[in-house]
Amino acid sequence: MAERSFKKEVEQLRIGAGETFRGEGILAITKALLENGVGYVGGYQGAPISHLMDVLADAEELMAELGIRFEANASEAAAAAMLAASVHYPIRGAVTFKSTVGTNVASDALANLASGGVTGGALIIVGEDYGEGSSIMQERSHAFAMKSQIWLLDPRPNLPSITEAVKHGFELSEASNTPVMLQVRIRCCHVHGAFRAKDNVPPPLTVREALSNPRRDTKRIVLPPASFHHEKEKIETRWPAAVDYINTHGLNEHFGPKDGRVGIVMQGGMYNGVIRALQRLGLADVYGDSEVPLYCLNVTYPLVEDEFLNFCADKAAVLIVEEGQPDFIEQSLRAILHKAGTTVKLSGKDVLPMAGEYTGQVMLDGIESFLVKHAGDSLPDRARAPNRPGPPPDLSEIVPGRPPGFCTGCPERPIFAAMKLVEEEMGPHQISADIGCHLFSIMPPFEIGGTTMGYGLGPASNAAFDGGGERRPISIMGDGGFWHNGLSTSIGNAVFNKSDGVTIVVDNFYSAATGGQDILSSRATNRSKATKHPITEALKGVGVKWVRQVDRTYDVTRMRDTLRDALTTDHEGPKVIVASSECMLNRQRREKPLFAKAIKDGRRVERPKFGVDEEVCTGDHACMRLSGCPSLTLKMPDDLLRDDPIAHIDQSCVGCGNCGEVADAAVLCPSFYQADLVHNPGKFESRLAGWQRRAIEWLQTRRAASRIAREVVL
């Protein structure tokens, strides 16, 4: 099951011409695809476009009605390769994935697609995961667009601009026989707004219809001598066609006065930040009307030389707002100015940071610095001395640091508790990590894992250490990474090279880190996808002989013993442990509504809760060092004679039992107890509970009286 359902929102995708569509960016993109005759859609989930894949999955019935093929691809490479349908056929296709990691995976297919060119419009929607909220290496999609000559759209982050970018993306692709990349940042994906809708349009040629009339053109196949012609065609035909389309349809926009001493050129995605900075400087109003000339690049590749030179014609200085590095756009624009022999001063990374996200404060400081330097004497007083607060306080000095960690009840936590117990017994091991929730193991309290090279590459990251040694290397990989890339690149590599290492495949039934999407080994029944394919069978199918399945990761003792066995067995070849338990977050999403309905219907519902006996807890806190659960915290005991805090389980506990299991495996203390919370109990249960409560109250009263008597004597 996905992180959330969009069934309700998807119904709005059916509205027609003249109606107003309201929602967030990802829904607007989906609606625009339907309005522009897309023939097939695919992709792979990953922030910030995970919800786009979820929307598409929930809209699969609607797309089927229109004759649109939808596929949740096995990887970004599979998604990009799907666009091959647009090479020989005039069918519009769109795929989506996270950038830049997804673009890395898809780069081979993208390069071949761009070389041969396309007949139908081919749109690649990439979620640009750059900046402070990112979970990946800090790189930009721009380099991939330049490398393969794929046109790059970067629309202003509002719904009308986003939907227009989808329309023009298809048309630009067809006009220039070139795939087009539509870049949407995190804020663009989740911005809310409205736009005037159009009717959904079935594709003029569906993929089913294309099968009845196969086409081929050897000039589009990337083999010599055609591949040499592709290079010339890119420059001599496709580039001029793209520039002509951009010019003719005015894809890049101008705002503010036509003339001015200074001007600002920006990526489309930076427009809101620029306008907000100008508003704070008193140079733009709340409606976005700017007193400074603005040139908004909704197409950041290719750049249109004549447009840029015309913008600079009467200006003394121009600021380039380009987020991230290298400064591709600034370098290109400097070259254009140099070639034209103009005297315009170009500013950019001299007043704005070379690297890092352009947050509101960064944008404000950079634009203010540029304006004061190049137009200070002509600026109104409010811009030269803006009335704004000083820099915000450094939160790191106020708020204590909190490293990212596993969710409450996460079934991956006991796996790493078991690994810590084995490490205490056998010593430290060389451990490689992977992409996914399990990567949180590198943080306290576990501090496990040394490297991560990519999705499904955990075992491959240990290949250099896999030839034998005093201690076997350990690698960790998730079920999502296993099916994405790990089975062939990591496991197949280990089998072929007779590696001696140990791999733990964390199987939580979903691609949990990207939002809980189903995968091949999911235990749920999926109406349109094939699930319930065991990872163990796939492992045996590629030649792994030593495979162990642990069906309940919360059994820390069994996890510890299985890992110890893998590290000490005399078996030659790779050893793989499949550690399976359902993602607790997804389990709670599924079970909570069912529990609530059962309680409302008057049915008996029993839920386990765990606690710590204050009288028994010694306060050594070792349980926390091997658990790290957010619901396991500290509190001061009620006993005034005890000074140290003791363990405490708060109300966020989901009853997974991991804390008690860890305590048992580590031979700590019996202070953990389980209490079953019963809703709508039967008559006998209610009477029994009443008797027990009265007995406990009598004993508590007697004990309190005895304590008071002792205190009087003392």
Side-chain angles (χ1 to χ4, degrees):
M1 59 180 296
E3 183 175 307
R4 59 161 293 195
S5 172
F6 288 88
K7 289 289 187 183
K8 182 178 179 181
E9 290 90 338
V10 161
E11 287 305 309
Q12 198 183 177
L13 297 175
R14 295 181 180 275
I15 68 175
E19 297 183 74
T20 300
F21 184 98
R22 290 182 172 86
E24 62 178 320
I26 51 174
L27 283 160
I29 291 172
T30 310
K31 175 60 175 167
L33 291 173
L34 301 179
E35 290 179 354
N36 286 282
V38 70
Y40 61 96
V41 186
Y44 190 85
Q45 60 273 359
I49 55 81
S50 289
H51 282 175
L52 179 52
M53 285 300 295
D54 296 337
V55 169
L56 292 168
D58 285 342
E60 194 167 0
E61 182 178 333
L62 170 57
M63 289 192 287
E65 293 173 10
L66 294 168
I68 303 168
R69 163 72 174 167
F70 170 68
E71 181 159 316
N73 302 106
S75 70
E76 297 87 353
M82 190 181 183
L83 290 171
S86 294
V87 172
H88 300 301
Y89 301 91
I91 306 175
R92 290 183 171 180
V95 298
T96 183
F97 41 74
K98 175 190 183 81
S99 188
T100 56
V101 286
T103 319
N104 289 335
V105 174
S107 60
D108 195 14
L110 292 176
N112 279 278
L113 182 74
S115 182
V118 295
T119 303
L123 190 64
I124 305 127
I125 304 165
V126 295
E128 189 78 346
D129 195 5
Y130 181 89
E132 293 180 351
S134 174
S135 61
I136 60 167
M137 77 289 289
Q138 295 298 276
E139 293 184 353
R140 299 169 57 193
S141 302
H142 201 102
F144 285 93
M146 295 172 63
K147 175 187 75 69
S148 298
Q149 192 168 305
I150 297 173
W151 313 137
L152 180 60
L153 306 186
D154 188 356
R156 288 190 295 134
N158 62 70
L159 266 56
S161 295
I162 296 169
T163 53
E164 279 295 296
V166 172
K167 170 182 177 292
H168 287 299
F170 281 129
E171 294 179 359
L172 174 61
S173 176
E174 291 163 348
S176 60
N177 301 118
T178 302
V180 170
M181 192 177 289
L182 173 61
Q183 172 181 309
V184 284
R185 294 173 173 81
I186 293 174
R187 292 177 179 83
C188 188
C189 287
H190 301 300
V191 67
H192 281 252
F195 68 94
R196 187 69 66 184
K198 301 174 184 175
D199 290 331
N200 296 331
V201 178
L205 176 67
T206 68
V207 288
R208 283 180 174 271
E209 292 167 343
L211 284 172
S212 62
N213 185 25
R215 300 182 185 183
R216 62 188 298 271
D217 180 0
T218 55
K219 294 179 182 178
R220 295 284 183 203
I221 301 173
V222 188
L223 278 174
S227 54
F228 304 120
H229 292 294
H230 296 163
E231 194 71 3
K232 292 185 64 179
E233 182 183 314
K234 282 181 176 181
I235 301 302
E236 296 175 358
T237 306
R238 300 186 204 170
W239 191 300
V243 170
D244 181 64
Y245 183 91
I246 296 166
N247 263 324
T248 302
H249 293 84
L251 299 194
N252 296 320
E253 299 174 283
H254 294 81
F255 300 96
K258 184 177 180 181
D259 302 321
R261 181 174 176 181
V262 296
I264 301 177
V265 179
M266 76 214 72
Q267 297 162 297
M270 295 289 100
Y271 173 81
N272 288 5
V274 170
I275 284 293
R276 179 58 182 148
L278 292 174
Q279 288 172 348
R280 294 177 68 184
L281 291 168
L283 295 171
D285 61 22
V286 294
Y287 302 103
D289 293 329
S290 170
E291 295 180 24
V292 179
L294 306 178
Y295 177 37
C296 184
L297 296 173
N298 292 316
V299 184
T300 53
Y301 183 79
L303 297 171
V304 182
E305 295 189 16
D306 291 343
E307 271 190 358
F308 174 64
L309 291 173
N310 288 337
F311 178 76
C312 296
D314 62 337
K315 295 173 179 60
V318 171
L319 172 66
I320 310 298
V321 179
E322 176 183 9
E323 186 178 62
Q325 58 87 23
D327 50 347
F328 298 116
I329 298 174
E330 184 176 337
Q331 290 181 32
S332 297
L333 295 181
R334 284 187 184 279
I336 292 171
L337 289 177
H338 178 75
K339 188 168 60 175
T342 67
T343 58
V344 178
K345 293 180 180 179
L346 203 62
S347 187
K349 298 298 185 181
D350 55 331
V351 296
L352 288 163
M354 172 62 81
E357 183 179 355
Y358 284 0
T359 60
Q361 189 65 43
V362 168
M363 195 83 82
L364 176 62
D365 293 341
I367 292 176
E368 180 186 8
S369 176
F370 166 77
L371 292 175
V372 169
K373 180 178 179 180
H374 295 284
D377 57 347
S378 62
L379 290 175
D381 291 340
R382 63 185 184 278
R384 281 188 277 119
N387 181 19
R388 59 183 175 90
D394 185 354
L395 291 180
S396 65
E397 298 176 0
I398 303 173
V399 181
R402 188 184 71 170
F406 297 102
C407 301
T408 301
C410 176
E412 300 185 15
R413 187 176 286 109
I415 298 173
F416 299 106
M419 292 181 70
K420 294 298 285 186
L421 292 171
V422 171
E423 180 183 278
E424 183 181 18
E425 176 186 336
M426 303 180 65
H429 289 71
Q430 162 60 32
I431 300 175
S432 68
D434 206 318
I435 303 298
C437 297
H438 42 276
L439 190 56
F440 290 136
S441 65
I442 67 173
M443 307 300 290
F446 302 112
E447 299 181 298
I448 288 175
T451 56
T452 172
M453 291 289 104
Y455 204 27
L457 298 180
S461 302
N462 258 350
F465 303 101
D466 238 353
E470 182 181 346
R471 297 192 184 111
R472 286 172 176 155
I474 303 172
S475 56
I476 304 159
M477 177 169 56
D479 47 357
F482 176 86
W483 293 114
H484 176 276
N485 195 23
L487 180 59
S488 59
T489 304
S490 284
I491 300 300
N493 179 73
V495 172
F496 183 69
N497 288 287
K498 298 183 178 179
S499 300
D500 190 44
V502 176
T503 296
I504 300 173
V505 180
V506 181
D507 172 25
N508 50 30
F509 302 6
Y510 310 94
S511 184
T514 60
Q517 293 82 8
D518 281 334
I519 51 179
L520 278 163
S521 51
S522 294
R523 311 296 174 91
T525 299
N526 189 307
R527 182 175 55 84
S528 61
K529 301 291 181 286
T531 54
K532 304 180 183 179
H533 297 281
I535 292 174
T536 52
E537 296 300 314
L539 290 166
K540 294 172 184 176
V542 296
V544 181
K545 305 299 182 185
W546 198 100
V547 180
R548 299 292 184 271
Q549 172 77 47
V550 178
D551 284 319
R552 183 175 174 273
T553 61
Y554 298 105
D555 188 343
V556 179
T557 302
R558 186 182 175 197
M559 277 299 314
R560 178 198 60 193
D561 295 346
T562 305
L563 181 57
R564 185 198 297 123
D565 186 22
L567 292 169
T568 56
T569 180
D570 58 3
H571 175 83
E572 295 183 359
K575 275 70 67 175
V576 183
I577 301 169
V578 181
S580 302
S581 275
E582 183 178 11
C583 165
M584 183 56 73
L585 204 58
N586 267 28
R587 179 178 173 182
Q588 292 297 310
R589 291 190 188 111
R590 189 185 71 252
E591 291 185 349
K592 277 187 176 180
L594 299 178
F595 277 124
K597 187 177 186 305
I599 294 170
K600 184 178 179 181
D601 293 344
R603 286 178 280 158
R604 183 185 183 279
V605 175
E606 181 177 318
R607 299 192 69 179
K609 286 286 185 180
F610 289 82
V612 176
D613 190 329
E614 293 188 13
E615 299 294 330
V616 179
C617 178
T618 62
D620 65 357
H621 311 151
C623 52
M624 297 180 189
R625 292 194 292 273
L626 282 173
S627 171
C629 180
S631 68
L632 187 58
T633 182
L634 296 173
K635 67 169 286 188
M636 292 304 298
D638 295 332
D639 189 344
L640 298 178
L641 297 178
R642 299 180 66 177
D643 298 328
D644 296 327
I646 59 174
H648 172 69
I649 299 176
D650 65 26
Q651 291 303 307
S652 65
C653 172
V654 294
C656 70
N658 179 51
C659 49
E661 295 275 1
V662 169
D664 178 68
V667 194
L668 297 175
C669 68
S671 61
F672 293 94
Y673 65 84
Q674 176 177 332
D676 294 327
L677 182 62
V678 179
H679 298 270
N680 301 322
K683 293 181 180 179
F684 177 74
E685 279 183 308
S686 298
R687 285 196 296 269
L688 179 61
W691 297 333
Q692 291 174 334
R693 184 167 54 253
R694 285 193 290 272
I696 292 171
E697 289 173 352
W698 181 79
L699 291 170
Q700 287 175 333
T701 302
R702 182 180 176 186
R703 181 179 180 182
S706 176
R707 179 180 295 173
I708 293 172
R710 287 199 304 272
E711 291 175 352
V712 170
V713 171
L714 292 174

